[in-house]
């Protein structure tokens, strides 16, 4: 079974020694390192949907029907494995059935509350918050009553799904769980529960979430040069966003693209504002791997001055370093975003063509 991609895990993982020894665990609020959302028509990398992840007999016997429906609903909505979400609920409070302090009311010794054991500060600074809210945090309104109630199962499970998503799920499940509670033995226990909850005994990841699906993506590139550019970009999955970053440990949206092209000996503009006019414009629907997709996003940007960029890796998918709070570098879908400005092909720029000719002549 594969639970994570070949993504390099970066950051201070030495904190794994901070093991909590209570039954009720407390999620930690910090920026995590998600990796890869895949997709597209690729050989041996068929899409695995939430509907495919059937509950085992043990899951239906152990999980209250209300909770099972919520885990599956919000797992699908947010895009994380419902089995992992349910396993967190089991490990934290036995799906809300625990009578320990902080589950039904109040907080535990660490300040955590509710069926998914959020720290009140992580939730948003209060146990019950009106939605929409001025508070930052994972406070969520899962039952559409206008309130984010830390004790409400629908609200808490939706919030937990968001937290797991931001910090690595569905691809880098172990990292997301480590952020939820900083102890590797906790991660192991949750994964074991999740496997028991899945009818096939597996915790599935999306297609292209591991090295076995990278090769088809790279092999489908329109040229060897593009394949090498994609290989570099895909190897940066899981690294954090850093404004102005050009690696090797962190990148911003244009920085990863700049360095991916540089990795094969090609120089393109460093910033999004420079990359947009540099490449030859490509009609929507005719984009191909290695092309750039631009968005009207960020302060001071507009339809003719896009502020965000990603690199197309396969049909409808791009690799991007989106923002500090959006999670680390990963592959996402660009279809459905209403802020797309257009596509360009840097390899068609005359300067790049000259660079390519010199590279070929030197071989």
């Amino acid at each position: 079974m594969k639970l994570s991609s070949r993504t390099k895990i970066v950051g201070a993982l030495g904190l794994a020694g901070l093991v909590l020894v209570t039954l009720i665990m407390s999620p930690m609020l910090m920026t995590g390192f998600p990796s890869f959302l895949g997709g597209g028509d690729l050989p041996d990398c068929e899409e695995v949907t939430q509907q495919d992840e059937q509950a085992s007999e043990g899951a239906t016997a152990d999980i209250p029907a209300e909770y099972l429906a919520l885990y599956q609903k919000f797992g699908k909505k947010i895009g994380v494995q419902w089995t992992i979400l349910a396993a967190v609920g089991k490990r934290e409070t036995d799906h809300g059935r625990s009578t320990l302090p902080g589950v039904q009311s109040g907080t535990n010794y660490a300040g955590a509350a509710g069926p998914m054991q959020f720290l009140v500060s992580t939730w948003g600074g209060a146990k019950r918050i009106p939605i929409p809210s001025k508070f930052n945090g994972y406070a969520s309104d899962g039952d559409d009553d206008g309130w984010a109630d830390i004790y409400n199962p629908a609200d808490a499970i939706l919030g937990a799904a968001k937290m797991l998503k931001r910090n690595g799920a569905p691809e880098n499940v172990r990292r997301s769980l480590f952020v939820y509670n900083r102890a590797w033995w906790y991660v192991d226990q949750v994964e074991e529960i999740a496997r028991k909850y899945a009818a096939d005994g597996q915790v599935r990841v999306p297609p292209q979430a591991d090295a076995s699906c990278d090769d088809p993506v790279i092999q489908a590139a329109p040229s060897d040069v593009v394949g090498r550019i994609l290989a570099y970009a895909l190897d940066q999955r899981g690294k954090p966003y850093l404004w102005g970053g050009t690696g090797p440990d962190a990148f911003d949206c244009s920085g990863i693209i700049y360095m991916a092209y540089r990795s094969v000996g090609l120089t393109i503009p460093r910033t999004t504002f420079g990359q947009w006019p540099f490449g030859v414009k490509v009609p929507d629907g005719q984009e191909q791997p290695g092309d750039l997709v631009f968005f009207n996003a960020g302060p001071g940007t507009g339809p003719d001055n896009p502020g965000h960029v990603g690199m197309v890796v396969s049909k409808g998918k791009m690799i991007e370093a989106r923002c500090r709070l959006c999670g680390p570098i990963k592959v996402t879908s660009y279809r459905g975003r209403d802020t797309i400005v257009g596509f360009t092909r840097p390899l068609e720029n005359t300067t790049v063509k000259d660079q390519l000719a010199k590279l070929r002549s030197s071989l």
Side-chain angles (χ1 to χ4, degrees):
M1 180 185 66
K2 298 175 181 177
L3 286 175
S4 62
S5 73
R6 63 179 178 176
T7 300
K8 298 176 182 177
I9 306 300
V10 299
L13 298 187
L15 293 176
L18 297 177
V19 177
L20 302 179
V21 293
T22 59
L23 173 63
I24 306 299
M25 312 300 289
S26 305
M28 304 290 290
L29 178 61
M30 61 180 289
T31 302
F33 300 89
S35 54
F36 200 151
L37 286 178
D41 300 321
L42 298 171
D44 302 320
C45 296
E46 295 85 355
E47 190 75 40
V48 177
T49 67
Q50 291 290 334
Q51 292 91 329
D52 293 328
E53 298 177 8
Q54 300 297 321
S56 66
E57 292 183 2
T60 55
D62 182 54
I63 305 172
E66 174 194 4
Y67 275 72
L68 178 58
L70 291 172
Y71 293 137
Q72 293 178 327
K73 174 183 177 180
F74 293 125
K76 178 180 179 181
K77 178 178 180 179
I78 302 302
V80 301
Q81 296 93 333
W82 75 261
T83 51
I84 289 291
L85 193 58
V88 170
K90 174 66 174 181
R91 184 61 186 83
E92 295 292 346
T93 68
D94 193 21
H95 310 300
R97 291 178 292 214
S98 172
T99 59
L100 291 176
V103 179
Q104 308 295 336
S105 63
T107 62
N108 70 359
Y109 80 98
M116 303 304 282
Q117 288 293 279
F118 273 96
L119 294 174
V120 175
S121 59
T122 301
W123 185 250
K127 299 172 187 174
R128 194 166 185 265
I129 299 172
I131 297 294
S133 170
K134 65 180 180 180
F135 295 94
N136 292 321
Y138 291 98
S140 302
D141 181 14
D143 59 359
D144 298 320
D145 67 351
W147 290 89
D149 187 338
I150 203 169
Y151 302 107
N152 181 300
D155 297 352
I157 291 170
L158 175 56
K162 291 178 179 178
M163 187 174 186
L164 291 170
K165 177 73 171 182
R166 171 168 289 183
N167 293 303
E171 307 81 15
N172 197 341
V173 172
R174 291 185 63 81
R175 178 57 179 163
S176 71
L177 291 172
F178 183 80
V179 174
Y180 202 94
N181 193 295
R182 298 182 69 84
W184 288 115
W185 58 263
Y186 172 88
V187 174
D188 292 339
Q189 289 180 3
V190 170
E191 284 188 338
E192 182 180 1
I193 295 169
R195 287 192 290 270
K196 292 178 180 178
Y197 281 166
D200 62 2
Q202 298 185 46
V203 178
R204 294 185 177 275
V205 297
Q208 301 177 21
D210 55 56
S212 67
C213 287
D214 283 354
D215 289 344
V217 173
I218 294 168
Q219 292 168 5
S223 69
D224 175 66
V225 169
V226 173
R228 289 158 57 200
I229 291 171
L230 293 179
Y232 178 93
L234 293 175
D235 277 342
Q236 312 315 311
R237 287 171 294 180
K239 294 183 179 180
Y241 175 93
L242 176 66
W243 187 83
T246 54
D249 299 322
F251 300 80
D252 67 9
C253 66
S254 56
I256 184 176
I257 292 168
Y258 170 76
M259 292 304 296
Y261 274 81
R262 187 173 173 178
S263 72
V264 297
L266 301 177
T267 300
I268 67 173
R270 161 65 185 85
T271 68
T272 304
F273 298 126
Q275 290 172 2
W276 168 242
F278 182 80
V280 173
K281 301 297 186 294
V282 176
D284 188 355
Q286 295 183 27
E287 70 275 9
Q288 60 187 25
D291 290 348
L292 308 186
V293 52
F294 293 85
F295 301 85
N296 177 11
T301 67
D304 297 319
N305 195 37
H308 180 59
V309 62
M311 181 191 295
V312 177
V313 298
S314 64
K315 183 179 180 181
K317 302 292 181 180
M318 65 178 174
I319 187 164
E320 65 170 340
R322 191 168 185 179
C323 73
R324 183 177 63 84
L325 296 178
C326 302
I329 296 166
K330 57 191 172 186
V331 170
T332 60
S333 174
Y334 56 80
R335 290 302 174 197
R337 293 195 190 179
D338 58 8
T339 56
I340 291 181
V341 173
F343 302 86
T344 71
R345 187 165 298 155
L347 291 176
E348 291 299 317
N349 179 279
T350 55
T351 301
V352 175
K353 286 184 175 181
D354 290 341
Q355 294 174 21
L356 279 170
K358 291 178 181 179
L359 287 173
R360 291 185 182 115
S361 65
S362 66
L363 296 178

